[in-house]
Amino acid sequence: MGVVLEPPCPRSVDGISIDPEPNWNFNSLLSEIESVEKKLNVFSMSPQPLTQTTLRMGRRGGGFVMRVSEDEMESDVDEESDEEEDDHTQICTKGKRFACDELYLSDESDDEFDGETESFLLSKMGLAENALYEVINDHQTEVKEDIRNQVSVVETEILQEIETSRSAIARVEKYSETRKEVERKLDLQYQRKVAEALDTHLTAIQREHEVKSQIEERKIRSEEAQEEARRRERAQHEEKIRQEKARAEAEMQAKLRAEEAKKEAERKAAKEAVEKEETDRKAAEQKISEEKIERERSLAASNAQAGGKSIQAAESALTLENHRLKKLEELEATNQSLRSRPNVDFSSFEKQITRAIKQIRGTEDNVRKKITEIVNIFRDPRCPVSISIATFAKKIVSAKDHFAGSYVIVYVTSQFPEAMDIVLAEFHKACIYTVPKHTLNSQSAWDSDGYEQLDSTMRLYGALVQNNNGRNVHGIEHGWAWLARFLNKTSATRASATALNSFLQMAGFGLHQRYRSQFLKVVNIVREHFLPRLKARKDASNLRTIITDITAYLDDQTYLKEPVGRTMTKYTLSAEITADY
């Protein structure tokens, strides 16, 4: 698009047009020049060469002069001939610029005109040409200034656009770098999560393998232990057979030697044999007489001790009972002297122990709490230990929860070992079958409360002896000794049967785990000897319930099942009590 220049003045002054044809092209310019030459030739006297062409335009009597050099015209013509048709607009613009740039007001004389014509032109056209020249100059200046301003504005806008583009490109690059960094961090985070998940999975697999390995190892150890037990049992059986065979051979040899010696003695001295027989007979009669006197003396002493009643008990059991009762008497004497002191009252401590024992229940938290309370009272310097032991022993034998009570007894006596004999003495006072001891020809009859107390005391005693805690000083071996003494020395009565049934219900499981085949032999003794004697009694009809209970226990092999309440916790309480104390 071309730039249309509009001068800031009227298009004509005194009938003279400023720009009669503003859209000239080069051909139009040439035509106009030829027309001007023709007009000039009319006033010229002779033709002159076209070294300098003078153009006169306007009305007659006034106009302006435009000079075009011959060289420039030739140059323009050559350029016109060399350019293509699509550059026609550029040529027109150049011609128009050429016409504007070479336009000037003529104020000199021309060689072609005479003095009269020149003066006429100056006089008629001087003011108009000056005014037009000034108008054209001002118009050109304003156009140039306007063009420079527009160019400056365009350059400024271009620079702003370039700066904006650079800023946008910088932001895009920065955003791209930011996105790359974010993606890199996300990738690292994803890789970290994948690594953590893989590590967790591998850890779980390793733990599972370890658990399986431990299970297999325990299974192998269990099988090895069972195989070792079977091998040991076979070795014991073989050793027993070998010993029996050796004993039989030794007896046979001894018998043969005795027979030989006897025959030899008979052959050597028949008379000496008669004398020896007489001597032996006298010695035997004297020994029998002495044994009879000793039995009568022992029976008299036992009857005197039982108030005229016959007592069935093992001598070792009676010895232990007397020892424990004697310790209890000494402790009571000591406590009596302590209570006799002025301004001394231990009743609050005794009440605390009694309350703690009554609150014993078969739960882990309860047992641990009560053990802590009782041991704290034992260690209280304001109360002598003998007072605490006596109160504890007297009250614990009446605990209602038998397994929980046995745990309390074991842990308290592990801290204060001297308390166990006192507790057992209280057991013996509460029930003679804890010795075990049986009284014959008793005039006192057992009532329902008596049988109930007997059952509760024996169950608590059975729970105590079967407690397999390592700190139990009256453990399963004492339960085995009790069972042997009971079956050897005790008659079959309702009271003894009740004691046996209560004891087996609580301690049978532990005895079978410890002694296995030996315990089964004892069970057979109960089945083959004790129960038949019980059934043969005159009051067997009143014993039907207890006989049924013992028979069901043996037939159902209840000793293979752990009693309810025996296991209270999932871990050993001894470790926790040791840590607390």
Side-chain angles (χ1 to χ4, degrees), residues 426-435 446 453-454 457-458 499:
E426 291 292 345
F427 269 114
H428 299 335
K429 289 178 64 177
C431 179
I432 63 173
Y433 288 101
T434 59
V435 176
W446 291 83
Q453 182 180 357
L454 169 64
T457 305
M458 288 306 303

Side-chain angles (χ1 to χ4, degrees), residues 9 21 111 141 147 173 179 196 212 239 255 264 283 315 330 351 382 423 441 447 458 489 506:
C9 62
E21 186 61 42
D111 296 337
T141 303
I147 291 172
E173 292 178 352
R179 290 299 304 170
E196 291 176 355
K212 290 181 179 179
E239 180 66 20
K255 186 176 181 181
E264 184 67 21
E315 293 184 2
E330 293 175 354
K351 290 179 180 179
R382 296 173 297 174
V423 172
N441 301 324
D447 54 9
M458 288 306 303
K489 294 294 183 179
M506 304 302 286

Side-chain angles (χ1 to χ4, degrees), residues 87-133:
D87 297 329
H88 180 70
T89 303
Q90 182 177 0
I91 294 173
C92 294
T93 305
K94 183 176 181 182
K96 187 175 181 180
R97 179 182 56 78
F98 167 77
C100 294
D101 290 343
E102 296 298 328
L103 185 64
Y104 66 94
L105 296 176
S106 177
D107 54 357
E108 298 178 355
S109 62
D110 194 336
D111 296 337
E112 297 177 351
F113 300 97
D114 53 9
E116 184 180 357
T117 304
E118 181 178 1
S119 62
F120 175 78
L121 289 173
L122 289 173
S123 63
K124 295 295 183 177
M125 298 298 293
L127 295 175
E129 289 175 354
N130 290 330
L132 180 61
Y133 180 76

Side-chain angles (χ1 to χ4, degrees), residues 117-340:
T117 304
E118 181 178 1
S119 62
F120 175 78
L121 289 173
L122 289 173
S123 63
K124 295 295 183 177
M125 298 298 293
L127 295 175
E129 289 175 354
N130 290 330
L132 180 61
Y133 180 76
E134 291 177 359
V135 170
I136 290 173
N137 282 338
D138 293 340
H139 177 66
Q140 289 178 353
T141 303
E142 291 178 359
V143 168
K144 290 179 181 180
E145 185 66 24
D146 188 19
I147 291 172
R148 280 195 296 271
N149 292 336
Q150 291 183 6
V151 169
S152 177
V153 171
V154 171
E155 289 178 352
T156 303
E157 290 178 353
I158 291 173
L159 291 176
Q160 290 178 353
E161 290 293 333
I162 292 173
E163 186 66 25
T164 303
S165 300
R166 288 176 180 175
S167 177
I169 292 172
R171 286 197 301 273
V172 170
E173 292 178 352
K174 184 177 180 181
Y175 176 76
S176 177
E177 292 295 331
T178 305
R179 290 299 304 170
K180 289 181 181 179
E181 182 67 20
V182 171
E183 290 176 357
R184 185 181 66 80
K185 290 182 179 179
L186 291 176
D187 186 55
L188 291 176
Q189 185 177 3
Y190 176 74
Q191 292 178 359
R192 190 180 299 110
K193 289 183 178 179
V194 171
E196 291 176 355
L198 180 61
D199 184 65
T200 303
H201 178 66
L202 294 177
T203 303
I205 293 175
Q206 183 179 4
R207 189 181 298 110
E208 183 178 357
H209 285 315
E210 290 178 355
V211 171
K212 290 181 179 179
S213 176
Q214 292 176 0
I215 292 174
E216 291 294 332
E217 186 178 355
R218 286 197 296 269
K219 184 177 179 181
I220 292 172
R221 286 201 300 267
S222 177
E223 292 177 354
E224 290 178 353
Q226 292 177 0
E227 183 64 25
E228 181 66 22
R230 287 194 294 270
R231 186 167 56 252
R232 192 181 299 109
E233 187 175 355
R234 287 196 299 270
Q236 291 178 355
H237 182 66
E238 293 175 357
E239 180 66 20
K240 184 177 181 180
I241 293 174
R242 187 186 63 79
Q243 291 178 357
E244 290 178 354
K245 186 177 179 180
R247 189 183 303 109
E249 291 178 356
E251 290 177 356
M252 183 62 68
Q253 291 178 2
K255 186 176 181 181
L256 292 175
R257 286 195 299 269
E259 290 178 355
E260 290 177 358
K262 184 177 180 181
K263 290 178 180 179
E264 184 67 21
E266 288 178 354
R267 284 196 301 268
K268 289 183 178 180
K271 187 176 179 179
E272 292 180 0
V274 173
E275 293 178 356
K276 183 179 180 181
E277 182 179 356
E278 185 68 19
T279 304
D280 291 342
R281 183 180 62 79
K282 291 180 180 179
E285 290 177 355
Q286 184 178 0
K287 185 177 180 180
I288 291 171
S289 177
E290 291 177 354
E291 289 179 353
K292 183 178 180 180
I293 294 171
E294 183 65 25
R295 283 197 301 271
E296 291 177 354
R297 185 181 303 167
S298 177
L299 182 59
S302 299
N303 291 335
Q305 184 177 1
K309 302 174 184 178
S310 298
I311 297 176
Q312 292 179 342
E315 293 184 2
S316 58
L318 293 175
T319 301
L320 289 173
E321 180 191 20
N322 293 332
H323 174 71
R324 292 162 183 164
L325 292 174
K326 185 177 180 180
K327 279 191 173 182
L328 178 60
E329 292 176 357
E330 293 175 354
L331 184 69
E332 290 178 347
T334 301
N335 292 340
Q336 186 66 28
S337 62
L338 291 174
R339 290 189 180 94
S340 63

Side-chain angles (χ1 to χ4, degrees), residues 24-67:
W24 281 349
N25 55 26
F26 190 74
N27 292 329
S28 300
L29 180 61
L30 292 178
S31 300
E32 183 67 23
I33 292 172
E34 291 175 358
S35 176
V36 173
E37 286 179 350
K38 290 177 181 182
K39 291 179 182 181
L40 291 176
N41 290 331
V42 175
F43 297 98
S44 175
M45 296 302 295
S46 62
Q48 295 179 1
L50 189 60
T51 58
Q52 181 173 349
T53 303
T54 303
L55 302 179
R56 180 177 297 163
M57 299 176 62
R59 294 182 304 174
R60 181 179 295 180
F64 62 89
V65 179
M66 180 173 62
R67 292 180 179 179

